Amino acid sequence: MSAITVRLIMPDRWLEHVAELSADTTVADAKAFGIREMLQRSSDDPADFYTEFAERRIRDETRTLADVGIGARGVLSIRAYDLGHYAPFRG
Protein backbone atom coordinates (compact mmCIF):
# COMPACT_ATOMS: atom_id res chain seq x y z
CA MET A 1 0.00 0.00 0.00
CA SER A 2 1.00 3.60 -0.34
CA ALA A 3 2.64 5.76 2.30
CA ILE A 4 0.59 8.40 4.09
CA THR A 5 1.63 11.32 6.27
CA VAL A 6 0.37 10.75 9.80
CA ARG A 7 0.59 13.19 12.69
CA LEU A 8 1.26 11.28 15.91
CA ILE A 9 0.54 13.31 19.01
CA MET A 10 0.69 12.89 22.77
CA PRO A 11 -1.59 15.78 23.77
CA ASP A 12 -1.13 15.27 27.50
CA ARG A 13 2.63 15.83 27.09
CA TRP A 14 2.49 18.42 24.28
CA LEU A 15 4.49 16.16 21.96
CA GLU A 16 4.07 15.66 18.22
CA HIS A 17 5.82 13.70 15.48
CA VAL A 18 4.95 13.68 11.78
CA ALA A 19 5.79 10.44 9.98
CA GLU A 20 5.37 8.74 6.63
CA LEU A 21 3.77 5.37 7.36
CA SER A 22 2.31 2.72 5.14
CA ALA A 23 -1.50 2.68 5.11
CA ASP A 24 -1.30 -1.01 6.05
CA THR A 25 0.63 -0.24 9.27
CA THR A 26 -1.32 -1.50 12.29
CA VAL A 27 -2.45 0.99 14.88
CA ALA A 28 -0.36 -0.93 17.46
CA ASP A 29 2.78 -0.55 15.35
CA ALA A 30 2.10 3.15 14.73
CA LYS A 31 1.56 3.65 18.46
CA ALA A 32 4.81 1.86 19.38
CA PHE A 33 6.70 3.88 16.74
CA GLY A 34 5.21 7.15 18.01
CA ILE A 35 6.06 6.39 21.62
CA ARG A 36 9.70 5.66 20.71
CA GLU A 37 10.01 8.78 18.53
CA MET A 38 8.34 11.23 20.89
CA LEU A 39 9.70 10.00 24.21
CA GLN A 40 13.14 9.17 22.77
CA ARG A 41 13.46 5.93 24.70
CA SER A 42 12.50 2.30 24.22
CA SER A 43 11.70 1.45 27.84
CA ASP A 44 8.03 2.51 27.68
CA ASP A 45 5.54 -0.34 27.28
CA PRO A 46 3.01 0.42 24.50
CA ALA A 47 0.41 -1.51 26.55
CA ASP A 48 0.49 1.40 29.03
CA PHE A 49 -0.98 3.65 26.32
CA TYR A 50 -4.14 3.72 24.22
CA THR A 51 -4.91 5.38 20.91
CA GLU A 52 -7.61 7.71 19.65
CA PHE A 53 -8.67 8.81 16.19
CA ALA A 54 -11.18 11.63 15.74
CA GLU A 55 -11.52 11.78 19.55
CA ARG A 56 -12.67 8.16 19.75
CA ARG A 57 -10.71 5.37 21.34
CA ILE A 58 -9.49 2.65 18.98
CA ARG A 59 -10.24 -0.60 20.79
CA ASP A 60 -8.83 -3.00 18.18
CA GLU A 61 -5.25 -1.91 17.58
CA THR A 62 -4.64 -4.80 15.17
CA ARG A 63 -6.57 -2.83 12.54
CA THR A 64 -4.56 -0.94 9.95
CA LEU A 65 -4.46 2.82 9.58
CA ALA A 66 -6.49 2.44 6.37
CA ASP A 67 -9.10 0.28 8.14
CA VAL A 68 -9.56 2.91 10.83
CA GLY A 69 -9.91 5.65 8.22
CA ILE A 70 -6.70 7.52 8.87
CA GLY A 71 -5.75 9.08 5.56
CA ALA A 72 -3.12 11.58 4.51
CA ARG A 73 -2.65 14.22 7.19
CA GLY A 74 -4.60 12.12 9.70
CA VAL A 75 -3.98 12.51 13.42
CA LEU A 76 -3.45 9.58 15.80
CA SER A 77 -3.52 10.52 19.50
CA ILE A 78 -1.52 8.41 21.93
CA ARG A 79 -2.52 8.73 25.57
CA ALA A 80 -1.30 7.07 28.75
CA TYR A 81 -3.78 5.17 30.87
CA ASP A 82 -4.49 7.23 34.00
CA LEU A 83 -7.12 7.72 36.67
CA GLY A 84 -9.70 8.83 34.13
CA HIS A 85 -8.83 6.15 31.58
CA TYR A 86 -8.23 2.74 33.09
CA ALA A 87 -6.30 0.01 31.33
CA PRO A 88 -8.38 -3.04 30.40
CA PHE A 89 -8.55 -5.69 33.13
CA ARG A 90 -6.47 -8.70 32.13
CA GLY A 91 -7.45 -10.83 35.14
Coordinates of all heavy atoms in Angstrom, one line a residue:
M1 N 0.8 -1.2 0.0 CA 0.0 0.0 0.0 C 0.9 1.2 0.0 O 2.1 1.2 0.3 CB -0.9 0.0 1.2 CG -2.1 -0.8 1.2 SD -3.3 -0.3 2.3 CE -4.8 -0.4 1.3
S2 N 0.3 2.4 -0.3 CA 1.0 3.6 -0.3 C 1.3 4.2 1.0 O 0.6 3.9 2.0 CB 0.2 4.6 -1.2 OG -1.0 4.9 -0.5
A3 N 2.3 5.1 1.1 CA 2.6 5.8 2.3 C 1.7 7.0 2.5 O 1.3 7.6 1.5 CB 4.1 6.2 2.2
I4 N 1.4 7.2 3.7 CA 0.6 8.4 4.1 C 1.3 9.2 5.2 O 2.1 8.6 6.0 CB -0.8 8.0 4.6 CG1 -0.8 7.0 5.7 CG2 -1.6 7.4 3.4 CD1 -2.1 6.7 6.3
T5 N 1.1 10.5 5.2 CA 1.6 11.3 6.3 C 0.7 11.3 7.5 O -0.5 11.6 7.3 CB 1.8 12.8 5.8 OG1 2.7 12.7 4.6 CG2 2.4 13.6 6.9
V6 N 1.2 10.9 8.6 CA 0.4 10.7 9.8 C 1.0 11.6 10.9 O 2.2 11.6 11.1 CB 0.3 9.3 10.3 CG1 -0.5 9.2 11.6 CG2 -0.3 8.4 9.2
R7 N 0.1 12.4 11.6 CA 0.6 13.2 12.7 C 0.3 12.4 14.0 O -0.8 12.2 14.3 CB -0.2 14.5 12.7 CG 0.4 15.6 13.5 CD -0.2 16.9 13.2 NE -0.5 17.5 14.5 CZ -1.5 18.2 14.8 NH1 -2.5 18.4 14.0 NH2 -1.6 18.8 16.0
L8 N 1.4 12.0 14.6 CA 1.3 11.3 15.9 C 1.4 12.3 17.0 O 2.4 13.1 17.0 CB 2.4 10.2 16.0 CG 2.4 9.2 14.9 CD1 3.7 8.5 14.8 CD2 1.2 8.2 15.0
I9 N 0.5 12.3 17.9 CA 0.5 13.3 19.0 C 0.3 12.6 20.4 O -0.3 11.6 20.5 CB -0.5 14.4 18.8 CG1 -1.9 13.9 18.9 CG2 -0.3 15.2 17.5 CD1 -3.0 15.0 18.9
M10 N 0.9 13.2 21.4 CA 0.7 12.9 22.8 C 0.2 14.2 23.4 O 1.0 15.0 23.9 CB 2.0 12.3 23.4 CG 2.4 11.0 22.9 SD 3.9 10.4 23.7 CE 3.1 9.3 24.9
P11 N -1.1 14.5 23.3 CA -1.6 15.8 23.8 C -1.4 16.1 25.2 O -1.2 17.2 25.6 CB -3.1 15.7 23.4 CG -3.4 14.3 23.2 CD -2.1 13.6 22.8
D12 N -1.3 15.0 26.1 CA -1.1 15.3 27.5 C 0.3 15.7 27.8 O 0.6 16.2 28.9 CB -1.5 14.0 28.3 CG -2.9 13.6 28.1 OD1 -3.8 14.4 27.8 OD2 -3.2 12.3 28.2
R13 N 1.2 15.5 26.9 CA 2.6 15.8 27.1 C 3.1 16.9 26.1 O 4.3 17.2 26.0 CB 3.5 14.6 26.9 CG 3.2 13.6 28.0 CD 4.1 12.4 27.8 NE 3.6 11.3 28.8 CZ 4.4 10.3 29.2 NH1 5.6 10.2 28.8 NH2 3.9 9.4 30.0
W14 N 2.2 17.4 25.3 CA 2.5 18.4 24.3 C 3.6 18.0 23.3 O 4.5 18.7 23.0 CB 2.9 19.7 25.0 CG 1.8 20.4 25.7 CD1 1.4 20.1 27.0 CD2 0.8 21.3 25.3 NE1 0.3 20.8 27.4 CE2 -0.1 21.6 26.3 CE3 0.6 21.9 24.1 CZ2 -1.1 22.5 26.2 CZ3 -0.4 22.8 23.9 CH2 -1.3 23.1 25.0
L15 N 3.5 16.7 22.9 CA 4.5 16.2 22.0 C 3.8 15.8 20.6 O 2.6 15.5 20.6 CB 5.1 14.9 22.5 CG 5.9 15.1 23.8 CD1 6.4 13.7 24.4 CD2 7.1 16.0 23.6
E16 N 4.6 15.9 19.6 CA 4.1 15.7 18.2 C 5.2 15.1 17.3 O 6.4 15.6 17.5 CB 3.5 17.0 17.6 CG 3.0 16.8 16.2 CD 2.5 18.1 15.7 OE1 1.9 18.9 16.5 OE2 2.6 18.4 14.5
H17 N 4.9 14.2 16.5 CA 5.8 13.7 15.5 C 5.1 13.4 14.2 O 4.0 12.7 14.2 CB 6.5 12.4 16.0 CG 7.5 11.9 15.1 ND1 8.8 12.4 14.9 CD2 7.4 10.8 14.2 CE1 9.4 11.7 14.0 NE2 8.7 10.8 13.6
V18 N 5.6 13.9 13.1 CA 4.9 13.7 11.8 C 5.8 12.6 11.1 O 7.0 12.7 11.0 CB 4.9 15.0 10.9 CG1 4.3 14.7 9.5 CG2 4.1 16.0 11.6
A19 N 5.1 11.6 10.6 CA 5.8 10.4 10.0 C 5.1 10.0 8.7 O 3.9 10.1 8.5 CB 5.8 9.3 11.0
E20 N 5.9 9.4 7.8 CA 5.4 8.7 6.6 C 5.2 7.3 7.0 O 6.2 6.6 7.3 CB 6.3 8.9 5.4 CG 6.4 10.3 4.9 CD 5.2 10.7 4.1 OE1 4.7 9.8 3.4 OE2 4.9 11.9 4.1
L21 N 4.0 6.8 7.0 CA 3.8 5.4 7.4 C 3.0 4.7 6.3 O 2.2 5.4 5.6 CB 3.0 5.3 8.7 CG 3.7 5.8 9.9 CD1 2.8 5.7 11.1 CD2 5.0 5.1 10.2
S22 N 3.1 3.4 6.1 CA 2.3 2.7 5.1 C 0.9 2.7 5.6 O 0.6 2.5 6.8 CB 2.9 1.3 5.0 OG 2.0 0.5 4.2
A23 N -0.1 2.7 4.7 CA -1.5 2.7 5.1 C -1.8 1.3 5.7 O -2.8 1.2 6.4 CB -2.4 3.0 3.9
D24 N -1.0 0.3 5.5 CA -1.3 -1.0 6.1 C -0.5 -1.2 7.4 O -0.5 -2.4 7.9 CB -1.0 -2.1 5.1 CG 0.4 -2.3 4.6 OD1 1.2 -1.4 5.0 OD2 0.7 -3.2 3.9
T25 N 0.0 -0.2 7.9 CA 0.6 -0.2 9.3 C -0.5 -0.4 10.3 O -1.5 0.2 10.2 CB 1.4 1.1 9.6 OG1 2.4 1.2 8.6 CG2 2.0 1.0 11.0
T26 N -0.3 -1.3 11.2 CA -1.3 -1.5 12.3 C -1.3 -0.3 13.2 O -0.2 0.3 13.4 CB -1.1 -2.8 13.1 OG1 0.1 -2.7 13.8 CG2 -1.1 -4.0 12.2
V27 N -2.4 -0.1 13.9 CA -2.5 1.0 14.9 C -1.4 0.7 16.0 O -0.8 1.6 16.5 CB -3.9 1.1 15.4 CG1 -3.9 2.1 16.6 CG2 -4.8 1.6 14.3
A28 N -1.3 -0.6 16.4 CA -0.4 -0.9 17.5 C 1.1 -0.6 17.1 O 1.8 -0.1 17.9 CB -0.5 -2.4 17.8
D29 N 1.4 -0.9 15.8 CA 2.8 -0.5 15.3 C 3.0 1.0 15.3 O 4.1 1.5 15.6 CB 3.1 -1.2 14.0 CG 3.2 -2.7 14.1 OD1 3.5 -3.2 15.2 OD2 3.1 -3.4 13.0
A30 N 2.0 1.7 14.8 CA 2.1 3.2 14.7 C 2.2 3.7 16.1 O 3.0 4.7 16.4 CB 0.9 3.7 14.0
K31 N 1.5 3.2 17.1 CA 1.6 3.6 18.5 C 3.0 3.4 19.0 O 3.6 4.3 19.6 CB 0.5 2.9 19.3 CG 0.6 3.3 20.8 CD -0.5 2.6 21.6 CE -0.3 1.2 21.8 NZ -1.2 0.5 22.8
A32 N 3.5 2.2 18.9 CA 4.8 1.9 19.4 C 5.9 2.8 18.7 O 6.8 3.3 19.4 CB 5.1 0.4 19.1
F33 N 5.8 3.0 17.4 CA 6.7 3.9 16.7 C 6.6 5.3 17.3 O 7.6 5.9 17.6 CB 6.4 3.9 15.2 CG 7.1 4.9 14.5 CD1 8.5 4.7 14.1 CD2 6.5 6.1 14.1 CE1 9.2 5.6 13.4 CE2 7.2 7.0 13.3 CZ 8.6 6.8 13.0
G34 N 5.4 5.8 17.5 CA 5.2 7.2 18.0 C 5.8 7.3 19.4 O 6.4 8.3 19.7
I35 N 5.6 6.3 20.2 CA 6.1 6.4 21.6 C 7.6 6.5 21.6 O 8.2 7.3 22.3 CB 5.6 5.2 22.4 CG1 4.1 5.3 22.7 CG2 6.3 5.1 23.8 CD1 3.5 4.0 23.2
R36 N 8.2 5.6 20.8 CA 9.7 5.7 20.7 C 10.2 7.0 20.2 O 11.2 7.6 20.7 CB 10.2 4.5 19.8 CG 10.3 3.2 20.4 CD 11.0 2.2 19.6 NE 10.6 2.2 18.2 CZ 9.6 1.5 17.6 NH1 8.9 0.7 18.4 NH2 9.4 1.5 16.3
E37 N 9.6 7.5 19.1 CA 10.0 8.8 18.5 C 9.8 10.0 19.4 O 10.6 10.9 19.5 CB 9.3 9.0 17.2 CG 9.7 8.0 16.1 CD 11.2 8.2 15.8 OE1 11.7 9.3 15.6 OE2 11.9 7.1 15.7
M38 N 8.7 10.0 20.1 CA 8.3 11.2 20.9 C 9.0 11.2 22.3 O 9.4 12.3 22.7 CB 6.8 11.4 21.0 CG 6.2 11.8 19.7 SD 4.4 12.1 19.9 CE 3.8 10.5 19.7
L39 N 9.1 10.1 22.9 CA 9.7 10.0 24.2 C 11.2 9.7 24.2 O 11.9 9.8 25.2 CB 9.0 8.9 25.1 CG 7.5 9.2 25.3 CD1 6.9 8.1 26.2 CD2 7.3 10.5 25.9
Q40 N 11.7 9.4 23.0 CA 13.1 9.2 22.8 C 13.7 8.1 23.7 O 14.8 8.3 24.2 CB 13.9 10.5 22.9 CG 13.6 11.5 21.8 CD 14.0 11.0 20.5 OE1 15.2 10.7 20.3 NE2 13.1 11.0 19.5
R41 N 13.0 7.1 23.9 CA 13.5 5.9 24.7 C 12.6 4.7 24.3 O 11.5 4.8 23.8 CB 13.4 6.2 26.2 CG 12.0 6.5 26.7 CD 11.9 6.9 28.2 NE 10.6 7.1 28.6 CZ 10.1 8.2 29.1 NH1 11.0 9.2 29.4 NH2 8.9 8.4 29.5
S42 N 13.2 3.5 24.6 CA 12.5 2.3 24.2 C 12.0 1.5 25.4 O 11.5 0.4 25.3 CB 13.4 1.4 23.4 OG 14.6 1.1 24.2
S43 N 12.1 2.1 26.6 CA 11.7 1.4 27.8 C 10.2 1.5 28.1 O 9.7 0.8 29.0 CB 12.5 2.0 29.0 OG 12.2 3.4 29.2
D44 N 9.5 2.4 27.4 CA 8.0 2.5 27.7 C 7.3 1.4 27.0 O 7.5 1.0 25.9 CB 7.5 3.8 27.1 CG 8.0 5.0 27.9 OD1 7.5 5.3 29.0 OD2 9.1 5.6 27.5
D45 N 6.3 0.8 27.8 CA 5.5 -0.3 27.3 C 4.3 0.2 26.5 O 3.5 0.9 27.2 CB 5.1 -1.2 28.5 CG 4.3 -2.4 28.0 OD1 4.0 -2.6 26.8 OD2 4.0 -3.3 28.9
P46 N 4.2 -0.1 25.2 CA 3.0 0.4 24.5 C 1.7 0.0 25.1 O 0.7 0.7 24.9 CB 3.2 -0.2 23.1 CG 4.7 -0.4 23.0 CD 5.1 -0.8 24.4
A47 N 1.7 -1.1 25.9 CA 0.4 -1.5 26.6 C 0.0 -0.5 27.6 O -1.2 -0.6 28.1 CB 0.6 -2.9 27.2
D48 N 0.8 0.4 28.0 CA 0.5 1.4 29.0 C -0.2 2.6 28.4 O -0.5 3.6 29.1 CB 1.7 1.9 29.8 CG 2.3 0.8 30.7 OD1 1.6 -0.1 31.1 OD2 3.5 0.8 31.0
F49 N -0.4 2.6 27.1 CA -1.0 3.7 26.3 C -2.1 3.1 25.5 O -2.2 2.0 25.2 CB 0.1 4.3 25.4 CG 1.2 4.9 26.1 CD1 2.3 4.1 26.5 CD2 1.3 6.2 26.3 CE1 3.4 4.6 27.1 CE2 2.4 6.8 27.0 CZ 3.5 6.0 27.4
Y50 N -3.1 4.0 25.1 CA -4.1 3.7 24.2 C -4.2 4.8 23.1 O -3.5 5.8 23.2 CB -5.5 3.6 24.9 CG -6.0 4.9 25.5 CD1 -6.9 5.7 24.8 CD2 -5.6 5.4 26.7 CE1 -7.4 6.9 25.4 CE2 -6.1 6.6 27.3 CZ -7.0 7.3 26.6 OH -7.4 8.5 27.1
T51 N -4.9 4.5 22.1 CA -4.9 5.4 20.9 C -6.3 5.9 20.6 O -7.3 5.2 20.9 CB -4.4 4.7 19.6 OG1 -5.1 3.5 19.5 CG2 -2.9 4.3 19.7
E52 N -6.4 7.1 20.0 CA -7.6 7.7 19.6 C -7.5 8.3 18.2 O -6.4 8.7 17.8 CB -8.0 8.9 20.6 CG -8.3 8.5 22.0 CD -8.7 9.7 22.8 OE1 -8.3 10.9 22.5 OE2 -9.3 9.5 23.8
F53 N -8.6 8.2 17.5 CA -8.7 8.8 16.2 C -10.0 9.5 16.2 O -11.0 9.0 16.5 CB -8.6 7.8 15.1 CG -8.8 8.4 13.7 CD1 -8.0 9.4 13.2 CD2 -9.9 7.9 12.9 CE1 -8.2 9.9 11.9 CE2 -10.1 8.5 11.7 CZ -9.3 9.5 11.2
A54 N -10.0 10.8 15.8 CA -11.2 11.6 15.7 C -11.9 11.6 17.1 O -13.1 11.5 17.2 CB -12.1 11.2 14.6
E55 N -11.1 11.7 18.2 CA -11.5 11.8 19.6 C -12.3 10.5 20.0 O -13.0 10.6 21.0 CB -12.3 13.0 19.8 CG -11.5 14.3 19.5 CD -12.3 15.6 19.9 OE1 -13.3 15.5 20.5 OE2 -11.8 16.6 19.4
R56 N -12.1 9.4 19.3 CA -12.7 8.2 19.8 C -11.6 7.1 20.0 O -10.7 7.0 19.1 CB -13.6 7.7 18.7 CG -14.8 8.6 18.5 CD -15.7 8.0 17.5 NE -16.9 7.7 18.2 CZ -18.1 7.5 17.6 NH1 -18.1 7.7 16.3 NH2 -19.1 7.3 18.3
R57 N -11.7 6.4 21.0 CA -10.7 5.4 21.3 C -10.8 4.2 20.3 O -11.8 3.8 19.9 CB -11.0 4.8 22.7 CG -9.9 3.8 23.1 CD -10.0 3.5 24.6 NE -9.1 2.4 24.9 CZ -9.3 1.6 25.9 NH1 -10.2 1.8 26.7 NH2 -8.5 0.6 26.0
I58 N -9.6 3.8 19.9 CA -9.5 2.6 19.0 C -9.3 1.4 19.8 O -8.3 1.2 20.5 CB -8.3 2.8 18.0 CG1 -8.5 4.1 17.2 CG2 -8.2 1.6 17.1 CD1 -7.3 4.4 16.4
R59 N -10.3 0.6 19.9 CA -10.2 -0.6 20.8 C -9.5 -1.8 20.2 O -8.8 -2.5 20.9 CB -11.6 -1.0 21.1 CG -12.4 0.1 21.9 CD -13.3 -0.5 22.9 NE -14.0 0.6 23.6 CZ -13.6 1.2 24.8 NH1 -12.5 0.7 25.4 NH2 -14.3 2.1 25.3
D60 N -9.5 -1.9 18.9 CA -8.8 -3.0 18.2 C -7.6 -2.4 17.5 O -7.7 -2.0 16.3 CB -9.8 -3.7 17.2 CG -9.1 -4.9 16.5 OD1 -7.9 -5.2 16.8 OD2 -9.8 -5.5 15.6
E61 N -6.5 -2.5 18.1 CA -5.3 -1.9 17.6 C -4.6 -2.8 16.6 O -3.5 -2.5 16.0 CB -4.3 -1.5 18.7 CG -4.8 -0.4 19.5 CD -3.9 0.1 20.6 OE1 -2.8 -0.6 20.8 OE2 -4.1 1.2 21.2
T62 N -5.2 -4.0 16.2 CA -4.6 -4.8 15.2 C -5.1 -4.3 13.8 O -4.6 -4.8 12.8 CB -5.0 -6.3 15.4 OG1 -6.5 -6.4 15.3 CG2 -4.5 -6.8 16.7
R63 N -6.1 -3.4 13.8 CA -6.6 -2.8 12.5 C -5.5 -1.9 11.9 O -4.7 -1.4 12.6 CB -7.8 -2.0 12.8 CG -9.0 -2.9 13.3 CD -10.2 -2.1 13.7 NE -10.7 -1.4 12.5 CZ -11.6 -0.4 12.6 NH1 -12.0 0.0 13.8 NH2 -12.1 0.2 11.5
T64 N -5.5 -1.8 10.6 CA -4.6 -0.9 9.9 C -5.0 0.5 10.0 O -6.2 0.8 10.2 CB -4.4 -1.4 8.5 OG1 -5.6 -1.2 7.8 CG2 -3.9 -2.8 8.4
L65 N -4.1 1.4 9.7 CA -4.5 2.8 9.6 C -5.6 3.0 8.5 O -6.5 3.8 8.8 CB -3.2 3.7 9.3 CG -2.1 3.6 10.3 CD1 -0.9 4.4 9.8 CD2 -2.5 4.1 11.6
A66 N -5.5 2.3 7.4 CA -6.5 2.4 6.4 C -7.8 1.9 6.9 O -8.9 2.6 6.6 CB -6.1 1.7 5.1
D67 N -7.8 0.8 7.6 CA -9.1 0.3 8.1 C -9.8 1.2 9.1 O -11.0 1.3 9.1 CB -8.9 -1.0 8.9 CG -8.5 -2.2 8.0 OD1 -8.7 -2.1 6.8 OD2 -7.9 -3.1 8.5
V68 N -9.0 2.0 9.8 CA -9.6 2.9 10.8 C -10.1 4.2 10.1 O -10.9 4.9 10.7 CB -8.5 3.2 11.9 CG1 -8.9 4.3 12.9 CG2 -8.1 2.0 12.7
G69 N -9.5 4.5 9.0 CA -9.9 5.6 8.2 C -8.9 6.8 8.3 O -9.2 7.9 7.9
I70 N -7.7 6.5 8.8 CA -6.7 7.5 8.9 C -6.1 7.7 7.5 O -5.4 6.8 7.0 CB -5.6 7.2 9.9 CG1 -6.3 7.1 11.3 CG2 -4.5 8.2 9.9 CD1 -5.3 6.6 12.4
G71 N -6.3 8.8 6.9 CA -5.7 9.1 5.6 C -4.6 10.1 5.7 O -4.1 10.3 6.8
A72 N -4.2 10.6 4.5 CA -3.1 11.6 4.5 C -3.5 12.7 5.4 O -4.6 13.2 5.5 CB -2.9 12.1 3.1
R73 N -2.5 13.1 6.2 CA -2.6 14.2 7.2 C -3.6 13.8 8.4 O -4.0 14.7 9.1 CB -3.1 15.5 6.5 CG -2.3 16.0 5.4 CD -1.2 16.9 5.8 NE -0.5 17.3 4.6 CZ 0.8 17.4 4.6 NH1 1.5 16.9 5.5 NH2 1.4 17.8 3.5
G74 N -3.8 12.6 8.6 CA -4.6 12.1 9.7 C -3.8 12.3 11.0 O -2.6 12.4 11.0
V75 N -4.6 12.3 12.1 CA -4.0 12.5 13.4 C -4.3 11.3 14.3 O -5.5 10.9 14.4 CB -4.5 13.8 14.1 CG1 -3.9 13.9 15.5 CG2 -4.2 15.0 13.2
L76 N -3.3 10.7 14.9 CA -3.5 9.6 15.8 C -3.0 10.1 17.2 O -1.8 10.4 17.3 CB -2.6 8.4 15.3 CG -2.8 7.1 16.1 CD1 -4.2 6.5 16.0 CD2 -1.8 6.1 15.7
S77 N -3.9 10.1 18.1 CA -3.5 10.5 19.5 C -3.1 9.3 20.3 O -3.8 8.3 20.3 CB -4.7 11.2 20.2 OG -5.1 12.4 19.5
I78 N -2.0 9.5 21.1 CA -1.5 8.4 21.9 C -1.6 9.0 23.3 O -1.0 10.0 23.7 CB -0.1 8.0 21.6 CG1 0.0 7.6 20.1 CG2 0.5 7.0 22.5 CD1 1.4 7.5 19.5
R79 N -2.3 8.3 24.2 CA -2.5 8.7 25.6 C -2.2 7.6 26.6 O -2.5 6.5 26.3 CB -4.0 9.2 25.8 CG -4.4 10.3 24.9 CD -5.8 10.7 25.2 NE -6.3 11.8 24.4 CZ -6.3 13.1 24.9 NH1 -5.8 13.4 26.0 NH2 -6.7 14.0 24.1
A80 N -1.6 8.0 27.7 CA -1.3 7.1 28.7 C -2.6 6.8 29.5 O -3.4 7.6 29.7 CB -0.2 7.6 29.7
Y81 N -2.7 5.5 30.0 CA -3.8 5.2 30.9 C -3.5 5.9 32.2 O -2.4 6.1 32.6 CB -3.8 3.7 31.2 CG -4.3 2.9 30.0 CD1 -3.5 2.0 29.3 CD2 -5.7 2.9 29.6 CE1 -4.0 1.3 28.2 CE2 -6.2 2.2 28.6 CZ -5.3 1.4 27.9 OH -5.8 0.6 26.8
D82 N -4.6 6.5 32.8 CA -4.5 7.2 34.0 C -5.8 7.0 34.8 O -6.6 6.2 34.5 CB -4.2 8.7 33.7 CG -5.3 9.4 32.8 OD1 -6.4 8.9 32.8 OD2 -5.0 10.4 32.2
L83 N -5.9 7.9 35.8 CA -7.1 7.7 36.7 C -8.4 7.9 35.9 O -9.4 7.3 36.3 CB -7.1 8.7 37.8 CG -6.0 8.4 38.9 CD1 -5.9 9.6 39.9 CD2 -6.2 7.1 39.5
G84 N -8.5 8.6 34.9 CA -9.7 8.8 34.1 C -9.9 7.8 33.0 O -11.0 7.7 32.5
H85 N -8.8 7.1 32.7 CA -8.8 6.2 31.6 C -8.1 4.9 32.1 O -6.9 4.9 32.0 CB -8.2 6.7 30.3 CG -8.8 7.9 29.8 ND1 -8.5 9.2 30.2 CD2 -9.9 8.1 29.0 CE1 -9.2 10.1 29.6 NE2 -10.1 9.4 28.8
Y86 N -8.8 3.9 32.5 CA -8.2 2.7 33.1 C -7.8 1.8 32.0 O -8.5 1.6 31.0 CB -9.2 2.1 34.0 CG -9.6 2.9 35.2 CD1 -10.8 3.6 35.2 CD2 -8.7 3.1 36.3 CE1 -11.2 4.4 36.3 CE2 -9.1 3.9 37.3 CZ -10.3 4.5 37.3 OH -10.6 5.4 38.4
A87 N -6.7 1.1 32.2 CA -6.3 0.0 31.3 C -7.3 -1.2 31.4 O -7.9 -1.4 32.5 CB -4.9 -0.5 31.7
P88 N -7.5 -1.9 30.4 CA -8.4 -3.0 30.4 C -7.9 -4.1 31.4 O -6.7 -4.3 31.6 CB -8.3 -3.6 29.0 CG -7.6 -2.6 28.1 CD -6.9 -1.7 29.1
F89 N -8.9 -4.7 32.1 CA -8.6 -5.7 33.1 C -8.1 -7.0 32.4 O -8.8 -7.4 31.5 CB -9.8 -6.0 34.0 CG -9.5 -7.0 35.1 CD1 -8.7 -6.7 36.1 CD2 -10.1 -8.2 35.0 CE1 -8.4 -7.7 37.1 CE2 -9.9 -9.2 35.9 CZ -9.0 -9.0 37.0
R90 N -7.0 -7.5 32.8 CA -6.5 -8.7 32.1 C -6.4 -9.9 33.1 O -5.5 -10.7 33.0 CB -5.1 -8.4 31.5 CG -5.2 -7.3 30.5 CD -3.9 -7.3 29.6 NE -3.7 -6.0 28.9 CZ -4.4 -5.7 27.9 NH1 -5.3 -6.4 27.4 NH2 -4.1 -4.5 27.2
G91 N -7.3 -9.9 34.1 CA -7.5 -10.8 35.1 C -6.8 -12.1 35.1 O -6.5 -12.9 35.7

